[in-house]
């Protein structure tokens, strides 16, 4: 059982922390809730005690003989502050310890995750941006807030990410046993899902990709401190907390968004499954059955090879990770693809009906242009993502490989 401290600050989103608390406790973690005085104006102490099954500390002077302002932080294996207001970010950045939560933050030696929630103007204020930069420079993980409805009629960036997304982020931190922060300051582009090429107004050519591996990769990069652009093609999954999400439909839309994002990125991980072909023409009306029952032939044209385009444009220091989903002779096909696409790494898995697509676990082999072969037995897709980024970090700034042909 992991000991988690859940810090709750005085924002309207404090009620969402109840759901986050439930996710932690139902997954078997012990949770100590430390609300600020302002937070208790939104959700009362009995609620936190009932949901956590533990007493709730609110003041430094409560149970003073146990020295809670030191003991709670020392015992924690993870601290999550949600919602994190502009006030708590400022006090934490400046080392102010004037209540139980800020004392806990100062004494904690475990990973600390902040999930901000505030109005857009407050999030974008130079003072807040400086405080966030300071916290990140010290190893804290500050999730980018979501875009959406705020208090009243306001809409913009500053919304608390959904509790499930914060929970998945926190689980990613725990899986790595602490914030490695080895992607701090890096921009990582991840593609996910499967593209769809329209045949007519109601039909399309597509594939079985669910986007689960791509989303796991996005979570893994976020948990290691990266700024993540997630380009999702036809995915029905909860948005990862902190990722800049771009939704696309077709392969051409995926290509345009990925090429644009990679121009300023350090890493691109091409986990999406783009359609290799598209119809030469798209019917303006629904295609009807013919009188003889035989379908009219559909002419196909080849879609662009997005990974190969990125490989050709790759700058020194950039890392490109391609994927090879094969039904047979997977390793042989993947090695050819790796050289053709000028990728640094290629992730190989054998796919088919009820294999990989839509599943929560994956069996892959990681190949490197430097000769690496890392065969991973069946793991959760989150664990696979972590292992992939271990190899990515080794190759950043040309430490290994560098995209040179074999």
């Amino acid at each position: 059982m992991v000991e988690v401290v859940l810090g709750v600050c005085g924002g309207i989103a404090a009620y969402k922390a109840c759901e986050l608390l439930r996710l932690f406790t139902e997954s078997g973690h012990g949770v100590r809730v430390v609300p600020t005085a302002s937070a208790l104006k939104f959700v009362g102490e009995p609620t936190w005690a009932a949901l956590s099954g533990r007493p709730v500390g609110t003041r430094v002077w409560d149970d003073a003989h146990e020295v809670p302002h030191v003991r709670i932080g020392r015992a924690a294996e993870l601290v999550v502050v949600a919602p994190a207001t502009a006030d708590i970010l400022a006090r934490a950045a400046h080392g102010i310890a004037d209540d139980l939560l800020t004392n806990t933050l100062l004494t904690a030696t475990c990973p600390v995750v902040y999930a901000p929630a505030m109005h857009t103007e407050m999030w974008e204020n130079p003072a807040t941006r400086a405080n966030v930069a300071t916290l990140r420079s010290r190893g804290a993980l500050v999730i980018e807030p979501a875009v959406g409805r705020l208090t009243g009629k306001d809409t913009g960036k500053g919304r608390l990410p959904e509790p499930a997304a914060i929970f998945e982020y926190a689980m990613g931190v725990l899986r790595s046993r602490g914030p490695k922060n080895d992607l701090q300051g890096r921009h990582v582009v991840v593609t996910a899902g499967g593209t769809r090429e329209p045949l007519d107004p109601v039909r399309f050519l597509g594939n079985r990709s669910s986007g689960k591996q791509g989303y796991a990769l996005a979570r893994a990069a976020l948990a290691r401190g990266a700024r993540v652009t997630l380009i999702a093609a036809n995915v029905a999954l909860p948005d990862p907390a902190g990722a800049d999400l771009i939704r696309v439909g077709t392969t051409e839309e995926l290509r345009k968004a990925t090429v644009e994002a990679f121009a300023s990125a350090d890493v691109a991980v091409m986990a999406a499954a783009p359609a290799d072909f598209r119809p030469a023409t798209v019917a303006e009306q629904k295609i009807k059955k013919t009188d003889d029952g035989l379908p009219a032939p559909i002419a196909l044209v080849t879609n662009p090879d997005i990974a190969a385009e990125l490989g050709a444009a790759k700058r020194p220091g950039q890392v490109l990770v391609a994927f090879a989903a094969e039904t047979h002779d997977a390793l042989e096909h993947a090695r050819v693809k790796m050289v053709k696409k000028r990728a640094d790494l290629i992730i190989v898995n054998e796919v088919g009906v009820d294999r990989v697509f839509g599943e929560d676990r994956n069996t892959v082999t990681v190949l490197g242009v430097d000769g690496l072969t890392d065969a991973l037995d069946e793991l959760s897709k989150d664990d696979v993502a972590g292992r992939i980024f271990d190899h990515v970090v080794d190759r950043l700034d040309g430490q290994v490989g560098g995209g040179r042909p074999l």
Side-chain angles (χ1 to χ4, degrees), residues 280-292:
T281 59
V282 179
E284 294 183 358
Q285 297 179 341
K286 180 182 176 182
I287 300 172
K288 298 293 186 180
K289 293 180 181 178
T290 58
D291 292 338
D292 59 9

Side-chain angles (χ1 to χ4, degrees), residues 167-219:
F167 175 75
E168 288 296 337
Y169 185 103
M171 291 302 96
V173 174
L174 288 176
R175 275 189 293 272
S176 63
R177 303 310 300 174
K180 294 182 179 179
N181 273 350
D182 45 14
L183 291 174
Q184 184 72 41
R186 302 287 192 176
H187 180 197
V188 175
V189 176
V190 177
T191 67
T195 62
R196 296 176 178 177
E197 306 299 333
L199 288 165
D200 62 23
V202 297
R203 300 183 180 94
F204 59 84
L205 294 177
N207 58 63
R208 299 176 185 274
S209 178
S210 65
K212 287 184 176 181
Q213 186 64 77
Y215 273 51
L217 286 156
R219 290 193 296 267

